[in-house]
Amino acid sequence: MSLWTSLEPPSATVDPGASTTVRLKLRNTGDVVDEYRFEPVGDIAPWVTVEPQSLRLYPGTTGTVELSFAPPRTSDATAGPNPYAVRITPTEHPEATTVPEGNLTITPFTEVRAELVPPTVKGRLRGRPKLAVDNLGNTKVTASVSGSDTGDQLSYDIHPSNVQIEPGRAAFVKATLKPRQIIWFGSKEERPYTFAVKRSGAVPLDVEGTYVQRGFLPGWLATFLGLLLALAITFVMLWITHKPQVRSTATEKLDKAAVSTVPPSPQAPPSPAPPPTSSAPAAPPQTAEPENAGGGGGNGGGSGGGSEEKKKAPKPTAATAVRKLAATDPGGKHICYRAFVAGKGWTAPECDGDMAGTVGQNRPLTALNIAVFGVGGTASAAFVHNPQSTDGQGHYVEPWSGAPDGSDNYVGDSKKDAPALLGFTLNVDDGGGAVCQAVHQRNEGWAGMACDKPNEGDRWTFGGTLRNDIWVEAVRFTV
């Protein structure tokens, strides 16, 4: 070997979002002038810059290059030791490649964001918001969630109350709010509340929401009943006060009175009144209106007298594709889907892990069409771009949409100028079955396949991200 190398220092430490420098010394121990090219290799190679990229050395001379490390402040910069290497290729002897290795330790950082979906819920007896907790740091986050409000007017049922979130992932917490007092009469009342995301050694992250409690009966009905009761009491008091008094002015005349010794005949008790009868005839049973078969008449018996209207065959949907699979495999489990690509329209249906959408064209998806078979139906909700966002995040589209086995379920919007799809939630069999998804995101590439865990509390899977500038470009699904 005609080259000597040394890294100074061999191990370095850097904070995400900052930079550090390592010097690489090398000496030409051969007997000819040679030029050396430098290329970073390893998982952190995209964050390494070598200056200069090539170096020419005479025999016996020494040179130095600088390696600059600048990991981003994102979840991709994995906390802890990260090995790296630099491939040194001599121009005169390319077969004598040297690869010195070093170690870069990236310090951990924590960044957590939380959002209520939706921020305002309405109901008479309960409200059901969802809390999305996003781990934007590079280390696992363990947090607990609790609820509170001024005056202790609400009770909180939170599931799960403790979450563990991997870097770059999000956790969803379901909550049920119940008012401690029922509003029988009157208009709605707003009850502000706060969810606190608590982590050990950190200030709690508060997320504020509003529960709008509705009354069971309108306020005017209470006024009407009060007036009716007052009128009834007044009527009774007037009746008691002005009841007519019957007095007899006749006096008994004993000398004219005749005492009868015949006992009076007993009176028969009155017979009860007959029960009322209704003269209205019974309503006939209602029958469902028959569906229109859609058949059209034509000119019969003539030759060339009329023209038949041509019917275009409908484009195949996800339900069309999954029913074809079910016909050939009635005992299996299948999921078919297609994507609405902005500027291009609906793709052809794909099934069981094939890709729907585009890669490398920078075209967002705005809607998905999903159908399943053998898994008890599916339900989902869309998380879309929010042009009015102030925190860099999109927003959910409520409510969830769902469909039984063999039917089409639509997520998002396929209309013109519809917002880009940033993410989505998906489950099957109301969360009782397993479904997996992988998404290709703008400037992020393919994310790993993620599945829901019905037996561990997660009854849905989330694909995509909450960030307003990263949209979904393609998807894959399996069941």
Side-chain angles (χ1 to χ4, degrees):
M1 179 177 294
S2 61
L3 182 65
W4 170 87
T5 62
S6 174
L7 285 170
E8 297 179 358
S11 297
T13 301
V14 65
D15 297 329
S19 62
T20 189
T21 302
V22 173
R23 300 177 65 188
L24 172 62
K25 288 186 176 181
L26 63 161
R27 180 186 299 117
N28 184 356
T29 59
D31 53 2
V32 297
V33 178
D34 209 340
E35 183 177 0
Y36 304 94
R37 296 190 303 272
F38 307 94
E39 179 186 4
V41 293
D43 293 338
I44 65 172
W47 310 328
V48 182
T49 303
V50 182
E51 288 292 340
Q53 297 182 352
S54 63
L55 189 64
R56 185 179 182 85
L57 294 177
Y58 287 91
T61 60
T62 301
T64 303
V65 297
E66 289 189 350
L67 308 179
S68 297
F69 301 88
R73 189 176 175 83
T74 65
S75 58
D76 296 330
T78 305
N82 293 268
Y84 70 91
V86 180
R87 182 185 293 116
I88 305 175
T89 305
T91 303
E92 297 297 330
H93 301 283
E95 72 281 356
T97 299
T98 303
V99 186
E101 298 179 353
N103 186 72
L104 179 69
T105 300
I106 300 177
T107 60
F109 79 96
T110 303
E111 184 176 349
V112 177
R113 293 182 185 175
E115 180 186 16
L116 274 171
V117 184
T120 301
V121 292
K122 302 177 182 180
R124 292 181 175 87
L125 296 177
R126 62 181 58 85
R128 292 189 174 93
K130 299 182 182 70
L131 181 66
V133 185
D134 198 359
N135 181 7
L136 304 180
N138 64 350
T139 184
K140 181 187 292 186
V141 168
T142 300
S144 62
V145 181
S146 62
S148 62
D149 61 274
T150 303
D152 195 24
Q153 298 175 336
L154 302 173
S155 64
Y156 304 86
D157 182 11
I158 300 174
H159 181 78
S161 58
N162 295 279
V163 293
Q164 285 190 342
I165 314 171
E166 296 293 335
R169 307 296 293 180
F172 292 86
V173 178
K174 288 183 177 181
T176 301
L177 312 178
K178 294 182 180 180
R180 299 189 185 278
Q181 294 183 352
I182 298 175
I183 300 177
W184 292 106
F185 295 96
S187 59
K188 59 187 178 182
E189 294 186 10
E190 293 187 355
R191 306 194 186 279
Y193 66 93
T194 302
F195 278 147
V197 181
K198 301 177 182 178
R199 295 175 288 119
S200 177
V203 177
L205 176 62
D206 293 337
V207 185
E208 297 182 351
T210 303
Y211 171 61
V212 180
Q213 185 180 359
R214 297 170 174 169
F216 273 87
L217 299 173
W220 62 263
L221 184 58
T223 304
F224 174 77
L225 293 177
L227 291 175
L228 187 62
L229 180 60
L231 289 173
I233 294 174
T234 303
F235 176 77
V236 171
M237 295 301 296
L238 289 174
W239 173 262
I240 295 174
T241 304
H242 299 284
K243 183 178 180 181
Q245 300 289 335
V246 180
R247 296 180 180 179
S248 176
T249 57
T251 58
E252 295 184 1
K253 297 181 179 181
L254 298 178
D255 54 343
K256 294 182 179 180
V259 179
S260 175
T261 58
V262 179
S265 59
Q267 295 181 355
S271 60
T277 59
S278 174
S279 60
Q286 296 182 356
T287 58
E289 190 172 335
E291 296 183 357
N292 185 7
N299 296 330
S303 59
S307 62
E308 296 184 357
E309 182 180 355
K310 296 182 179 179
K311 296 182 179 179
K312 295 183 180 179
K315 291 185 179 180
T317 66
T320 307
V322 83
R323 285 196 292 265
K324 287 184 180 180
L325 283 178
T328 59
D329 184 18
K333 298 179 180 179
H334 301 285
I335 181 170
C336 294
Y337 42 91
R338 56 182 184 145
F340 192 89
V341 182
K344 297 185 69 174
W346 286 108
T347 65
E350 305 291 346
C351 299
D352 297 338
D354 293 334
M355 184 191 80
T358 62
V359 173
Q361 299 184 19
N362 200 28
R363 293 180 181 271
L365 304 186
T366 63
L368 295 172
N369 170 211
I370 305 172
V372 296
F373 178 81
V375 292
T378 182
S380 55
F383 192 82
V384 300
H385 176 78
N386 181 12
Q388 284 80 36
S389 175
T390 58
D391 58 0
Q393 297 186 7
H395 68 93
Y396 265 99
V397 179
E398 292 286 348
W400 281 48
S401 61
D405 274 3
S407 298
D408 284 312
N409 180 22
Y410 288 91
V411 189
D413 194 345
S414 61
K415 296 179 181 178
K416 184 180 179 181
D417 299 329
L421 190 67
L422 308 181
F424 53 86
T425 53
L426 178 66
N427 70 10
V428 295
D429 193 19
D430 194 21
V435 60
C436 300
Q437 51 78 23
V439 298
H440 188 281
Q441 298 169 287
R442 176 196 183 193
N443 298 333
E444 298 290 327
W446 281 104
M449 186 70 73
C451 307
D452 59 348
K453 300 176 181 178
N455 295 327
E456 298 182 15
D458 294 338
R459 300 179 67 86
W460 68 85
T461 180
F462 177 81
T465 182
L466 303 180
R467 292 177 55 181
N468 217 15
D469 58 343
I470 299 180
W471 58 61
V472 177
E473 295 181 337
V475 295
R476 293 190 180 102
F477 296 110
T478 59
V479 293

